[in-house]
Amino acid sequence: MPETRPDPDALLAQLRSDEARALRGKLRIYFGASAGVGKTWAMLSAARREREAGRDVLIGVVETHGRSETAALLAGLDTLPLREVPYRGRTLAEFDLDAALARRPAVLLVDELAHTNAPGSRHAKRWQDVQELLAAGIEVWSALNVQHLESLNGTVGAITGVRVHETVPDTVLDEADEVVLVDVTPDELTARLAAGKVYLPQQAERAAQNFFRKGNLIALREIALRRTAEHVEDDVRGWRVEQSGPGGNGQGGAALQAWNTSGAILACVGPHEGAAQTVRTAARLAGQLNVRWHAAYVETPRLQRLDAAQRDRILAVLKLAEELGAATAVPTGADVAEQLSEQARRLNCATLVIGRAEPVRGWRRWWGASAVPLARALAQRAPALDILEVGRADSARRLSQATLVATQADDDERAQSRWPGYAWAAATSIALTLLCTPLTGVLELSNIVMLFLLGVVGVAMRFGRGPSALAAMLNVAAFDYFFVAPRLSFAVSDVQYLLTFAVMLGVGLLVGQLTAGLRFAAGVSTSRERRARSLFELTRELSAALESTQVVALGAAAVQAHFGGHARVLVTDAADQLVPPADPPPGFDAQVADWAFRHGQPAGLATATLAAQPWHYVPLRAPMRVRGVLALCPARPRWLLIPEQAQQLDTLARQIAIALERVHYVEVAQRAVVEMESERLRNALLGAISHDVRTPLTALIALAESLQTLPPEEHGEAARAIVAQAHALHALVSNLLDMARLESGVAGGTVNLRRDWQSVEEVVGAAIRAARPALRGMTVQTAWDPELPLVEFDAVLIERVLVNLLENAAKYGAAPIEVGARAEPAALVLTVRDHGPGLPAALHGREQTLFDKFTRGEAESATPGVGLGLAICRAVVSAHGGEISAANARDGGAEFTVTLPRREPPEPAEAQL
């Protein structure tokens, strides 16, 4: 009895899906071909019935468009007050989402699903408001016209000449729990328009001349009916998936039958020459019925042994089916009827098109019915399927000559690979005979038979059906000739040995058959696992790629590892032109690759475009656009004609394209960040120069002009002021130049430090003297250990750090300023502290931002400066391998700490060297 217990993982996933669906509200959409068909009227009528049934129904927003009949249905229904939104001197009435969420009715009516909300609303579109309501567990009813669907917006615009700009994604309609089609005939809608039940008289006259022409209404009605039918078909398919269990069984244990709701067709491709006629008939029938269709060829162990010509014919027929618009597949299994019926159930195809079986000729007519015809087997396994037999035709489909030449070498290689198996079968029989001959007097003949059977099993496991059958016949002959009396003769003295020979031969052939079936199933599983593994490995490797060159290398390696041969991934340059390889391999044609890129279609080998090419070119189609071309010269060209392998190649190409697009947008984002940062620095620099440079320049100009009018005794004071302003301007420009030099040095790693063993006391004293103009007489106190050792650093740069810290303390702090130094086992610690207000409270926990370029403690301050002094300090200290930090002192003021790495000073003689 087959196992019908459900898969625990699938059952758990189904329970989770049901739980999520139970928490989410239901969406009902009243769908129509155009305005005026009665969607709002039907929605309000249903709402009144629900209200009479006792449900809590609330009107969120309903557009009556001045129709008295529709407005009359609002009486007695609770209505949510609209939200007033001021916009450009007017007041707009909009749906109040927050009020609806707080009210939480059982059913909420939200009309005009494609409506655009007023600026300042939480969501730009009303359908987004509906999504939030559904997530909150509220059931929502809404209305939608066919021209507002995003995918149909262009089609409807081309038909009617009117393009609407308010659209709804198709997924909103696809995910709706219920779609209610509201339909009226074009004549009735035209009559309603003339009676003023759709628009006001002036609007109705213009609409009748433009949008509401009869031809337009007929076309819109057809589109609406088809779109609704697609939704219903998805509901049917979803219900069947939910009802199906393991192996496609329903809840009751019986297999779900294909339902003839969509009229889908499945063409069964066979190995006979009339298969092309079967495909053509199925395509013609699908075109007449305007339904989707599929083509399938079942690979069985017996069909695997077909010769090259027959296999090529099958692949050519599958390629013909793809050209005619079918989705092709190659299921595998021992029972053709079982696989076809399962494929029909999975695809919900209710009609099977098969070729008529060949008439029985010759001796097989007298042998009797050796096998059940395919039509009868399908009727037994799937009684509900409609089976159409197609008459035979003399014409046959052939592959192109280039593909035939390329695959002939593969066929010759496969044919040559079979002979070693037969040789091993003969060698095994000879070896077993030589092994058992000395054991004739020791073992019974029944045990010797077991040894020969063991040899057949071994050959079958290693080489398959044909060599095992040869081994079985050779072993029977060897056993009869060498071990059964009379020996060295094929004569049999005991008739019972005939039964032994028959059983021995039958068991050998049966074991070979079963083993061949297992090898076939194992080969199918290995092929599927290989395809899945190659896709998984490529996806894993591409997820870590950060550059397009990495994606190119990984993609080409993955495709080449799966298909063999040679593979190249071509990408585009900055001008969006395909870049050919620097060293094109033999047979590669850059023009064909460019054609595939520009047209977005495959070309070359195994395609309908330039099929004589030895390379196959696949466009790398990403969600946004084509990102390049994948070129492949496979080791086995026939693989490109097998649907599963072709789908594998398309999947690998899609993964490469998505990775290239991801890397592209990462680079775009990085460039945007760099441009934003550059723009920020440029604006900060311009702002600093415009304020802090202009101020001393203005003062210099004013002082210089005043020298002409001042008396001679006041010229000295003016000159001193000019010198002070010049020093301030010089310090500002020096900071800008030092920051540029240090930034380029730190980024490139080329800062030249003139390290030498220095006295800390001397460097601190020099810094205090250099900062005296900025200190303006403020007291500076020093404190350090008298035994402070020599430290190796660049004295000029460290002095610059201390000068900037002293100037910063003088600007933002208060006297006295304390400078300290102490030596730790592996570091020199310098501190500069003031007794002012300390660091701003806004910088608490973000003190390191003070050392960023163009950053000041207070964004708006009268204190001059461009915010580069502390940034220079950090750059210098970082170049020395040290650290700098800022914090508020315990008893007030700000304290800056510089930590420089140090080592023990050398001996005096070494220092002199």
Side-chain angles (χ1 to χ4, degrees):
M1 180 177 179
E3 180 68 35
T4 59
R5 184 175 59 185
D7 182 11
D9 294 335
L11 183 59
L12 182 59
Q14 182 66 32
L15 292 175
R16 290 175 179 173
S17 176
D18 294 342
E19 182 180 359
R21 191 181 300 112
L23 296 176
R24 183 176 175 84
K26 294 183 178 181
L27 174 61
R28 177 189 293 184
I29 295 179
Y30 288 83
F31 189 57
S34 65
V37 297
K39 302 182 300 299
T40 305
W41 189 89
M43 181 171 62
L44 290 174
S45 300
R48 295 183 67 88
R49 292 192 296 269
E50 291 293 318
R51 177 63 182 272
E52 294 173 359
R55 297 192 70 185
D56 181 15
V57 179
L58 178 66
I59 305 296
V61 58
V62 165
E63 300 291 346
T64 62
H65 297 288
R67 302 164 190 158
S68 57
E69 297 177 354
T70 304
L73 294 176
L74 293 173
L77 295 175
D78 295 339
T79 303
L80 189 71
L82 298 178
R83 178 172 57 93
E84 295 184 352
V85 179
Y87 179 68
R88 293 184 179 180
R90 297 183 301 166
T91 301
L92 302 179
E94 290 288 347
F95 168 63
D96 195 340
L97 176 60
D98 292 326
L101 291 171
R103 173 71 164 72
R104 295 188 65 83
V107 178
L108 178 66
L109 274 64
V110 182
D111 201 5
E112 300 288 347
L113 189 60
H115 173 75
T116 300
N117 293 330
S121 303
R122 183 185 308 173
H123 302 296
K125 297 288 187 177
R126 184 169 290 172
W127 65 265
Q128 295 173 321
D129 296 338
V130 170
Q131 293 295 322
E132 185 171 346
L133 293 168
L134 296 174
I138 301 175
E139 182 176 346
V140 179
W141 294 0
S142 188
L144 182 68
N145 289 331
V146 68
Q147 66 263 31
H148 293 292
L149 278 179
E150 183 65 43
S151 65
L152 299 176
N153 182 258
T155 303
V156 175
I159 294 174
T160 63
V162 179
R163 189 71 173 267
V164 298
H165 299 285
E166 293 183 329
T167 59
V168 173
D170 289 49
T171 54
V172 176
L173 182 66
D174 295 336
E175 296 174 358
D177 298 275
E178 298 179 21
V179 175
V180 180
L181 178 65
V182 182
D183 181 50
V184 296
T185 63
D187 293 335
E188 182 181 353
L189 183 57
T190 304
R192 295 189 61 188
L193 181 66
K197 297 182 179 181
V198 179
Y199 294 124
L200 297 177
Q202 298 83 358
Q203 296 176 324
E205 184 178 356
R206 291 196 302 269
Q209 296 175 355
N210 298 289
F211 188 89
F212 281 81
R213 289 178 294 182
K214 186 172 183 179
N216 294 348
L217 297 179
I218 294 174
L220 292 178
R221 188 187 187 197
E222 179 184 3
I223 295 174
L225 290 171
R226 289 185 179 276
R227 193 62 180 84
T228 306
E230 291 175 6
H231 188 278
V232 175
E233 182 180 359
D234 292 339
D235 291 342
V236 172
R237 188 180 298 111
W239 184 88
R240 287 170 56 81
V241 171
E242 291 179 0
Q243 296 298 314
S244 63
N249 291 338
Q251 293 179 348
L256 288 175
Q257 301 295 330
W259 291 353
N260 193 6
T261 55
S262 63
I265 296 173
L266 176 62
C268 307
V269 177
H272 51 79
E273 293 189 357
Q277 181 66 18
T278 303
V279 168
R280 293 189 182 97
T281 302
R284 184 169 60 254
L285 183 61
Q288 294 172 352
L289 299 178
N290 195 19
V291 296
R292 58 186 175 87
W293 70 290
H294 306 262
Y297 165 72
V298 180
E299 182 82 4
T300 65
R302 182 180 65 84
L303 296 180
Q304 271 198 332
R305 302 193 302 272
L306 295 177
D307 57 27
Q310 290 178 300
R311 291 198 304 273
D312 291 339
R313 184 169 58 243
I314 294 169
L315 294 177
V317 173
L318 290 176
K319 188 175 183 339
L320 172 64
E322 291 181 352
E323 294 174 355
L324 295 177
T328 59
V330 183
T332 56
D335 192 334
V336 176
E338 180 181 358
Q339 294 298 322
L340 289 177
S341 59
E342 176 62 27
Q343 189 81 352
R345 282 194 294 267
R346 187 175 64 84
L347 300 174
N348 196 25
C349 297
T351 303
L352 268 68
V353 179
I354 63 175
R356 184 167 297 162
E358 295 183 5
V360 181
R361 297 186 178 92
W363 60 270
R364 289 183 296 175
R365 291 184 301 175
W366 309 104
W367 189 262
S370 58
V372 179
L374 178 60
R376 187 185 304 173
L378 286 170
Q380 293 175 353
R381 293 187 175 275
L385 289 178
D386 297 332
I387 301 173
L388 174 64
E389 283 193 2
V390 177
R392 301 183 60 80
D394 296 334
S395 62
R397 185 78 170 183
R398 294 286 186 270
L399 293 176
S400 62
Q401 188 63 30
T403 307
L404 285 173
V405 172
T407 56
Q408 189 61 43
D410 186 25
D411 296 331
D412 295 341
E413 181 181 351
R414 292 183 57 184
Q416 293 175 2
S417 64
R418 296 193 186 103
W419 292 112
Y422 292 99
W424 275 100
T428 301
S429 180
I430 295 173
L432 287 173
T433 303
L434 296 177
L435 176 65
C436 295
T437 299
L439 302 176
T440 304
V442 180
L443 299 177
E444 296 289 340
L445 292 181
S446 57
N447 295 326
I448 294 177
V449 169
M450 294 297 103
L451 293 177
F452 278 107
L453 288 178
L454 182 61
V456 174
V457 173
V459 172
M461 292 181 62
R462 179 64 181 85
F463 300 105
R465 180 187 293 103
S468 67
L470 176 62
M473 292 185 289
L474 291 178
N475 287 350
V476 170
F479 178 71
D480 181 18
Y481 190 81
F482 292 102
F483 299 98
V484 177
R487 300 178 64 184
L488 303 180
S489 172
F490 287 107
V492 179
S493 60
D494 191 345
V495 180
Q496 294 183 1
Y497 282 111
L498 295 178
L499 179 60
T500 303
F501 298 155
V503 172
M504 184 177 176
L505 181 60
V507 169
L509 295 176
L510 179 60
V511 168
Q513 178 72 17
L514 294 177
T515 306
L518 292 176
R519 284 169 54 85
F520 173 74
V524 171
S525 300
T526 301
S527 177
R528 292 175 179 172
E529 190 272 338
R530 183 172 178 269
R531 293 198 300 269
R533 184 178 67 251
S534 63
L535 181 59
F536 167 75
E537 291 177 351
L538 176 62
T539 305
R540 182 187 59 188
E541 296 295 335
L542 290 180
S543 63
L546 300 178
E547 298 180 356
S548 58
T549 54
Q550 294 177 315
V551 176
V552 168
L554 293 173
V559 174
Q560 188 168 322
H562 185 81
F563 290 92
H566 304 280
R568 294 292 180 91
V569 176
L570 310 180
V571 295
T572 57
D573 55 12
D576 201 21
Q577 298 294 324
L578 194 67
V579 180
D583 53 340
F588 180 86
D589 194 331
Q591 295 181 351
V592 181
D594 186 70
W595 186 94
F597 170 73
R598 288 185 291 103
H599 291 82
Q601 298 177 4
L605 180 67
T607 67
T609 304
L610 302 173
Q613 290 286 327
W615 285 69
H616 181 75
Y617 303 89
V618 182
L620 298 177
R621 188 181 300 278
M624 297 299 296
R625 60 185 180 86
V626 178
R627 293 289 171 183
V629 170
L630 170 63
L632 172 64
C633 182
R636 297 177 177 85
R638 180 183 280 110
W639 278 24
L640 298 178
L641 301 175
I642 300 176
E644 281 73 12
Q645 298 296 341
Q647 293 171 5
Q648 179 77 3
L649 181 60
D650 291 339
T651 304
L652 293 175
R654 176 59 65 90
Q655 292 298 319
I656 297 172
I658 292 175
L660 287 173
E661 187 162 275
R662 174 181 59 82
V663 171
H664 168 74
Y665 283 113
V666 168
E667 294 174 353
V668 170
Q670 290 176 346
R671 288 197 299 268
V673 170
V674 172
E675 291 175 359
M676 292 171 59
E677 183 65 18
S678 301
E679 184 69 16
R680 187 185 71 82
L681 293 178
R682 188 182 71 87
N683 293 336
L685 179 59
L686 290 176
I689 292 177
S690 64
H691 179 271
D692 293 284
V693 175
R694 184 172 55 187
T695 299
L697 284 176
T698 304
L700 286 173
I701 294 172
L703 290 171
E705 292 177 348
S706 66
L707 287 177
Q708 301 176 1
T709 60
L710 289 175
E713 59 273 10
E714 296 182 7
H715 284 183
E717 185 65 27
R720 285 190 293 273
I722 291 175
V723 171
Q725 293 296 331
H727 278 298
L729 183 59
H730 178 268
L732 176 61
V733 175
S734 297
N735 279 340
L736 291 173
L737 295 176
D738 290 345
M739 191 69 247
R741 181 174 61 87
L742 290 171
E743 277 293 300
S744 62
V746 171
T750 59
V751 176
N752 295 321
L753 298 179
R754 301 183 62 179
R755 294 179 180 269
D756 200 357
W757 294 98
Q758 307 289 344
S759 171
V760 179
E761 298 91 334
E762 294 181 1
V763 174
V764 172
I768 295 174
R769 289 192 297 272
R772 185 169 293 136
L775 292 174
R776 299 186 302 277
M778 296 180 66
T779 303
V780 179
Q781 301 175 354
T782 59
W784 53 66
D785 187 355
E787 302 297 330
L788 199 64
L790 297 177
V791 181
E792 188 180 26
F793 54 75
D794 189 321
V796 176
L797 292 180
I798 296 300
E799 178 183 337
R800 184 65 178 166
V801 170
L802 293 174
V803 169
N804 286 347
L805 292 179
L806 289 171
E807 291 179 351
N808 184 76
K811 287 181 181 179
Y812 301 101
I817 299 175
E818 299 178 359
V819 180
R822 67 178 186 275
E824 295 184 352
L828 171 68
V829 180
L830 301 174
T831 59
V832 177
R833 178 196 170 186
D834 63 74
H835 289 75
L839 301 179
L843 293 177
H844 180 67
R846 302 186 301 111
E847 289 82 1
Q848 284 298 321
T849 58
L850 276 174
F851 301 97
D852 294 339
K853 296 184 294 292
F854 304 106
T855 300
R856 305 177 66 185
E858 298 180 3
E860 300 293 337
S861 175
T863 305
V866 296
L868 285 178
L870 295 180
I872 293 174
C873 293
R874 182 170 65 177
V876 171
V877 173
S878 299
H880 281 80
E883 297 179 353
I884 185 171
S885 61
N888 285 323
R890 292 184 178 179
D891 52 350
E895 183 176 32
F896 290 81
T897 303
V898 176
T899 304
L900 298 176
R902 78 173 188 89
R903 60 188 178 93
E904 291 299 326
E907 297 296 330
E910 182 182 350
Q912 293 176 2
L913 294 176

